[in-house]
Structure formats: structure tokens, C-alpha cells
């Protein structure tokens, strides 16, 4: 496989299973971290082009918190988390005990809180892949930014230009608590072509 365009329905089903396991792990980890019940609905996994992803996220000028982590070991590539303002607010307010008025301006304390959530969620998905394949995968600490969707997506678009314009897009929705609006996060899975081949081969699939 040299491009995400070559993923078929069977491959997508495998990615959905990884997403289901990762989301379950993330819900448990976040519940412990935030000391509150966290339920995540069955994730929606799709292979979309960058224009479609941008529209799914609310358009190129939509402000979001982005966390980018590199994958190392038996699997190389990137994993990116995009958090809507309401979810970022909930996380920061719960962990810091402070009411953040503007997610566009993160102090060091707030940025650290978001980074820790990124680490937990990335580990949840990476561990799902590792448990299914037996591969050893490490993640780097996340780089955190708050910017418009168009600017955030330019990073993977440039880095993975040789793999085409498709991306593995996972959408999670968190069941709302009383008095809260429903929150969501989005995961962009970006393994290198060789690594995606390795994952699928370990799972008994070929391209």
C-alpha cells in the first residue's frame, strides 16, 4: 500500500475495531483522570480527504485545540487530536479548577492539562493497535496549539503529501453530563505507508 486510497471496506472495518477498543480505553482513562463518568459513543471511522475533514470540523476558520504526537518503534507516523472548544473547556476547568474564559489563550497550566489528556487518549489508541498486533509502539509528548482548523491540518497535509490527500478520520462523541452540551473530539490516524502495511499484515490482511 502506498496511499490511504487503497484501503477497502475490510481494512476500514479493522480500523473501526481499533477505534472501538481505543475509545473504550480512553473513556476509562478519562473517567479516572477527571474523576467523573465519561461515556464515549461508538466512534465513526472514515477515510476522507483534507477538504472533507475541514468541513467536518466546522470549516477552515473554526478554532480548535490541536495535539500532535509522533509514533515511533514498530509503527511510525503521527496521531493528531482535535478538541472542540467545549470539550477543551471542560477538561481544563475540571483539571485546574479554574474557569477558562478563552480557549484561544492557554497558559502553561492549561496547556499542560490538555497535553496530559492528549497523552492518555493517544496511549489508548496506540495500546489498542499494540494489543491486537503485538507490535511495540511508542509515542512522543504532544505538541499543543490552538489555531484555526485550516492551519492545524496544514501540518499533516504537507508531511503526508506523498501518500495522497486522504486521512483516517475518527470522530468520538462524549455523552453529556446534566447541564452540559455534548462534547466531541476528532482523531486523525496517520501511520506511514510501511507501518500501515505492517499493521494490516499482522492482522492477517493484505493489500
Amino acid at each position: 500500500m502506498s496511499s490511504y486510497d487503497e484501503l477497502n471496506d475490510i481494512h476500514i472495518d479493522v480500523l473501526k475495531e481499533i477505534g472501538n477498543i481505543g475509545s473504550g480505553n480512553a473513556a476509562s482513562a478519562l473517567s479516572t483522570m477527571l474523576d467523573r463518568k465519561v461515556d464515549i459513543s461508538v466512534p465513526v471511522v472514515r477515510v476522507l480527504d483534507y477538504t472533507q475533514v475541514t468541513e467536518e470540523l466546522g470549516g477552515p476558520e473554526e478554532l480548535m485545540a490541536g495535539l500532535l504526537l509522533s509514533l515511533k518503534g514498530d509503527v511510525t507516523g503521527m496521531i493528531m487530536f482535535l478538541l472542540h472548544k467545549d470539550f477543551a473547556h471542560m477538561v481544563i476547568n475540571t483539571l485546574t479548577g479554574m474557569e477558562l474564559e478563552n480557549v484561544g489563550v492557554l497558559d502553561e497550566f492549561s496547556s499542560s492539562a490538555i497535553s496530559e489528556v492528549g497523552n492518555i487518549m493517544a496511549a489508548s489508541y496506540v495500546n489498542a493497535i499494540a494489543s491486537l498486533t503485538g507490535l511495540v509502539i511508542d509515542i512522543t509528548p504532544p505538541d499543543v496549539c490552538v489555531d484555526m482548523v485550516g492551519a492545524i491540518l496544514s501540518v499533516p497535509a504537507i508531511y503526508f503529501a506523498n501518500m495522497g490527500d486522504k486521512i483516517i478520520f475518527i470522530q468520538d462523541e462524549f455523552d453529556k453530563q446534566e447541564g452540559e452540551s455534548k462534547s466531541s473530539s476528532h482523531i486523525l490516524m496517520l501511520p506511514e505507508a510501511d507501518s500501515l502495511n505492517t499493521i494490516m499484515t499482522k492482522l492477517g490482511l493484505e493489500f
Side-chain angles (χ1 to χ4, degrees), residues 27-161:
S28 297
L30 287 174
S31 292
T32 299
M33 181 182 184
L34 300 174
D35 193 26
R36 57 183 284 173
K37 184 179 180 181
V38 176
D39 292 319
I40 302 180
S41 60
V42 175
V44 178
V45 181
R46 289 173 287 172
V47 177
L48 304 176
D49 63 40
Y50 284 94
T51 300
Q52 291 172 311
V53 171
T54 299
E55 293 307 312
E56 286 286 333
L57 296 173
E61 297 183 358
E62 179 74 9
L63 190 69
M64 299 189 79
L67 301 97
L68 180 65
L69 306 94
S70 294
L71 304 175
K72 298 184 179 299
D74 292 335
V75 172
T76 57
M78 296 179 181
I79 183 169
M80 176 177 279
F81 290 91
L82 297 167
L83 309 179
H84 282 290
K85 290 179 289 185
D86 53 0
F87 182 63
H89 278 145
M90 182 274 287
V91 168
I92 292 171
N93 295 342
T94 300
L95 292 178
T96 66
M98 300 183 298
E99 288 293 328
L100 183 68
E101 295 183 358
N102 183 5
V103 74
V105 181
L106 295 181
D107 58 23
E108 185 176 352
F109 198 27
S110 298
S111 181
S112 177
I114 288 290
S115 293
E116 187 57 30
V117 170
N119 274 325
I120 285 176
M121 295 190 72
S124 297
Y125 285 89
V126 167
N127 289 341
I129 297 172
S131 66
L132 290 172
T133 63
L135 296 170
V136 177
I137 312 170
D138 297 317
I139 55 175
T140 62
D143 291 320
V144 181
C145 73
V146 177
D147 208 334
M148 292 185 292
V149 166
I152 293 175
L153 291 183
S154 67
V155 176
I158 293 171
Y159 188 85
F160 287 91

Side-chain angles (χ1 to χ4, degrees), residues 175-203:
D175 289 344
K176 64 181 180 180
Q177 302 292 313
E178 186 175 352
E180 296 179 354
S181 59
K182 181 166 284 190
S183 301
S184 61
S185 70
H186 307 272
I187 299 95
L188 308 182
M189 295 285 289
L190 296 154
E192 300 276 6
D194 288 347
S195 294
L196 191 52
N197 283 321
T198 298
I199 291 170
M200 294 299 173
T201 299
K202 285 287 187 179
L203 295 173

